Amino acid sequence: EERELTVMLVVDASGSGRFGSVRRFKNELAAELCAVLAISAIKNNDKVGLIVFTDDIELYVRPSKGRRHVLRVIREILYFQPKGRKTNIPGALHFLNGVTRRRSDAFLVSDFMANDYESALRVANKRHDVVAVVVSDPRESALPDVGLLSVRDAETGRETLVNTSNSAVREDYAKAAVQRAVERDMTLRRTRVDAIRVRTDRTYVDELYRFFRMREKRFVV
């Protein structure tokens, strides 16, 4: 539509984002994708704002226009060093509702490794057009057979020794990953939140194209 929009980038900077088994970490992929969205918004003469969160709100950049502003937003995303390690999606959405009174296009960029955010997501999506950008890595859904592997939870710091040569361990890991994905996707469907799914081992171009084509078809009268 030919009207001024506000695009809010709500970015999860928790510890689980500092993981990647392929070419880049999840948070690097998230930053690159946010840069693309910000540049696209400014080309449409839209305002762009930024919320960076962990278990607390770590950074808020008020929505504004202009190339200089967008470059600042991109720089903050690329180089921001969070203090917290955990994830509080409801807190971020509540903050979004508080600082953005007008309806906005809000891209919630996260790996969604969190719980109890359905209610907050439903409320936020009534006030804004929320889009979930789900960032993942292939090793989160399947373990390689590499023998004993020391695994550390990036958000809690807890370390566990895992025997990846045990097929039952690998199967349980894969089943747990599938269950997490199913529960997340069901939450998104129940709250009527559209999703863009990106992975560290794939290009996001096709997924972005698919998403915006879908949106274009939906809103064309």
Side-chain angles (χ1 to χ4, degrees):
E1 297 180 46
E2 293 184 2
R3 60 185 177 87
E4 179 185 286
L5 294 176
T6 297
V7 175
M8 291 298 301
L9 302 174
V10 186
V11 185
D12 177 1
S14 60
S16 60
R18 294 188 286 277
F19 175 78
S21 64
V22 192
R23 293 175 297 175
R24 50 193 166 183
F25 290 160
K26 289 188 293 181
N27 59 4
E28 292 174 333
L29 172 59
E32 186 177 333
L33 187 58
C34 285
V36 171
L37 293 171
I39 291 170
S40 298
I42 211 66
K43 285 185 176 180
N44 278 340
N45 200 34
D46 298 331
K47 291 182 178 180
V48 180
L50 173 66
I51 298 170
V52 179
F53 71 97
T54 53
D55 46 346
D56 199 1
I57 303 301
E58 302 237 2
L59 176 69
Y60 170 57
V61 178
R62 206 177 287 272
S64 188
K65 293 183 180 182
R67 181 174 177 271
R68 185 186 298 273
H69 174 76
V70 166
L71 290 176
R72 180 202 168 186
V73 167
I74 293 172
R75 185 170 61 250
E76 293 285 9
I77 295 170
L78 288 173
Y79 299 110
F80 187 77
Q81 296 295 320
K83 296 178 181 178
R85 295 191 300 179
K86 296 184 179 180
T87 310
N88 185 355
I89 292 177
L93 294 174
H94 179 73
F95 184 83
L96 169 70
N97 292 337
V99 297
T100 311
R101 299 297 182 181
R102 294 181 57 188
R103 185 172 178 83
S104 69
D105 289 347
F107 291 88
L108 176 57
V109 186
S110 175
D111 56 16
F112 288 85
M113 289 191 174
N115 300 308
D116 303 324
Y117 54 82
E118 181 171 340
S119 178
L121 196 57
R122 180 177 287 106
V123 171
N125 199 38
K126 287 180 179 179
R127 297 189 59 177
H128 307 282
D129 182 6
V130 178
V131 177
V133 182
V134 183
V135 186
S136 64
D137 184 272
R139 283 292 169 258
E140 292 171 337
S141 57
L143 280 175
D145 183 356
V146 292
L148 291 175
L149 184 67
S150 179
V151 180
R152 183 174 66 86
D153 188 311
E155 296 197 7
T156 65
R158 179 183 176 186
E159 293 191 11
T160 306
L161 193 63
V162 179
N163 182 9
T164 63
S165 295
N166 187 325
S167 60
V169 169
R170 297 197 305 275
E171 289 173 8
D172 287 345
Y173 184 89
K175 287 178 182 177
V178 169
Q179 184 61 32
R180 283 197 307 271
V182 168
E183 291 175 356
R184 179 199 65 220
D185 292 345
M186 287 179 63
T187 296
L188 296 179
R189 282 196 294 271
R190 285 194 297 264
T191 54
R192 297 185 178 183
V193 171
D194 289 334
I196 301 172
R197 295 174 176 82
V198 295
R199 290 181 21 155
T200 56
D201 61 338
R202 298 174 184 171
T203 177
Y204 53 78
V205 174
D206 291 341
E207 178 65 10
L208 275 182
Y209 181 77
R210 178 206 64 78
F211 171 78
F212 285 113
R213 284 290 293 168
M214 178 269 291
R215 280 300 186 91
E216 183 181 35
K217 291 178 181 177
R218 179 186 300 175
F219 293 118
V220 168
V221 179

